[in-house]
């Protein structure tokens, strides 16, 4: 599976850096800038003590690398919420590249 096909990585609070894979440039088809679907997630407990994942925000970020996408997403989220630290509202960030569209039918 190529990096462009589907990427799902979770950035946990206090997790080590994203490593070499995230610094790598992503090459989408035909020179277009790749986009990432971003979700900020907060884990909350219900009245019975069961944990649930609640999405605090979801939006799209265009970036050349996973690292850049994470940085832009953090800045956008903080701007939307009016805070300096996104971990006030969320425990993790999910970055996912949308699946590639199938080639058009016919010629």
């Amino acid at each position: 599976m190529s990096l462009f096909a589907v990427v799902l990585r979770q950035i946990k609070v206090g997790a080590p850096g994203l490593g070499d894979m995230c610094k790598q440039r992503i090459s989408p088809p035909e020179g277009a800038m790749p986009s990432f679907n971003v979700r900020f997630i907060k884990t909350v407990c219900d009245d019975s003590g069961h944990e649930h994942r609640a999405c605090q925000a979801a939006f799209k970020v265009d970036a050349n690398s996973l690292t850049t996408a994470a940085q832009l997403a953090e800045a956008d989220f903080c701007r939307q919420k009016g805070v300096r630290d996104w971990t006030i509202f969320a425990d993790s960030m999910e970055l996912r590249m949308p699946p590639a569209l199938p080639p058009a039918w016919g010629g």
Side-chain angles (χ1 to χ4, degrees), residues 28-75:
E30 301 176 24
M33 183 174 288
S35 63
F36 296 86
N37 292 328
V38 181
R39 291 185 346 142
F40 285 85
I41 305 295
K42 179 78 171 177
T43 303
V44 294
C45 291
D46 63 16
D47 58 348
S48 65
H50 293 94
E51 291 185 347
H52 301 278
R53 293 167 36 94
C55 181
Q56 301 300 305
F59 51 91
K60 182 178 136 182
V61 173
D62 295 328
N64 286 329
S65 70
L66 193 56
T67 302
T68 303
Q71 292 168 345
L72 291 171
E74 287 177 21

Side-chain angles (χ1 to χ4, degrees), residues 4-107:
F4 186 71
V6 176
V7 174
L8 173 60
R9 295 287 178 257
Q10 212 170 49
I11 302 170
K12 296 278 188 185
V13 176
L18 296 175
D20 293 334
M21 195 248 354
C22 298
K23 294 176 185 169
Q24 175 180 27
R25 293 250 179 237
I26 299 168
S27 300
E30 301 176 24
M33 183 174 288
S35 63
F36 296 86
N37 292 328
V38 181
R39 291 185 346 142
F40 285 85
I41 305 295
K42 179 78 171 177
T43 303
V44 294
C45 291
D46 63 16
D47 58 348
S48 65
H50 293 94
E51 291 185 347
H52 301 278
R53 293 167 36 94
C55 181
Q56 301 300 305
F59 51 91
K60 182 178 136 182
V61 173
D62 295 328
N64 286 329
S65 70
L66 193 56
T67 302
T68 303
Q71 292 168 345
L72 291 171
E74 287 177 21
D76 284 351
F77 184 77
C78 289
R79 196 170 24 259
Q80 288 176 22
K81 298 292 185 184
V83 296
R84 291 183 181 206
D85 182 8
W86 65 271
T87 61
I88 293 170
F89 285 98
D91 299 322
S92 63
M93 175 194 326
E94 293 178 357
L95 297 161
R96 181 181 299 193
M97 289 185 76
L101 297 174
W105 287 76

